[in-house]
Amino acid sequence: MKEAALLLREGKRMFMVLDEMFRGTNVRDAHDATRAVVAAFARSRNGLFLVSSHLAELAEDFAPVPSIQLRCFDAEIRDGSPAYDYTLKDGFSTQRLGLLLLEQERVLDLLRDD
């Protein structure tokens, strides 16, 4: 992030793809840090930034910002399992699949004391 900030300050043109920028920290820190960095990137006229995040709450912050376009992938549940078409759609996804996948793979059953 520091290198990107330095390059932007120098007026360098840049294209960055960022996946879960702050995944190594707690959810609140990741949310606040991602919000601050993306807001700064949105003000940049020299860069194009593709940012992926599972922090769905950020969509509310960024939906009204004209320089930010929200896109997502969704899944359809077929026979109890998610099926992905990998089509990029407008907006943001509110799907919650984590517990479904754990149940589908019987992970929680394996972790239960019998």
Side-chain angles (χ1 to χ4, degrees):
M1 290 300 105
K2 183 177 180 179
E3 185 174 343
L6 289 169
L7 292 170
L8 284 173
R9 181 169 287 278
E10 293 172 9
K12 303 288 185 184
R13 293 176 50 95
M14 58 190 327
F15 171 74
M16 291 183 71
V17 177
L18 302 154
D19 179 34
E20 298 291 346
M21 289 187 284
F22 300 99
R23 66 177 158 250
T25 187
N26 69 64
V27 174
R28 186 68 190 163
D29 267 353
H31 176 274
D32 293 346
T34 300
R35 184 179 59 206
V37 169
V38 170
F41 285 167
R43 293 188 302 271
S44 169
R45 296 200 191 304
N46 291 337
L48 177 62
F49 305 91
L50 301 178
V51 178
S52 72
S53 177
H54 287 88
L55 301 170
E57 299 81 9
L58 290 170
E60 296 172 17
D61 296 335
F62 296 131
V65 180
S67 60
I68 295 179
Q69 297 177 19
L70 299 176
R71 303 287 187 267
C72 67
F73 295 108
D74 271 335
E76 181 181 320
I77 306 302
R78 292 186 202 140
D79 299 321
S81 296
Y84 305 94
D85 66 5
Y86 301 102
T87 301
L88 197 58
K89 299 176 176 121
D90 288 338
F92 60 96
S93 176
T94 58
Q95 285 186 316
R96 296 183 55 171
L97 301 174
L99 284 175
L100 175 67
L101 294 172
L102 285 175
E103 290 171 5
Q104 178 184 1
E105 295 298 319
R106 302 181 49 90
V107 171
L108 298 178
D109 290 340
L110 293 170
L111 294 173
R112 281 195 187 99
D113 290 334
D114 290 331

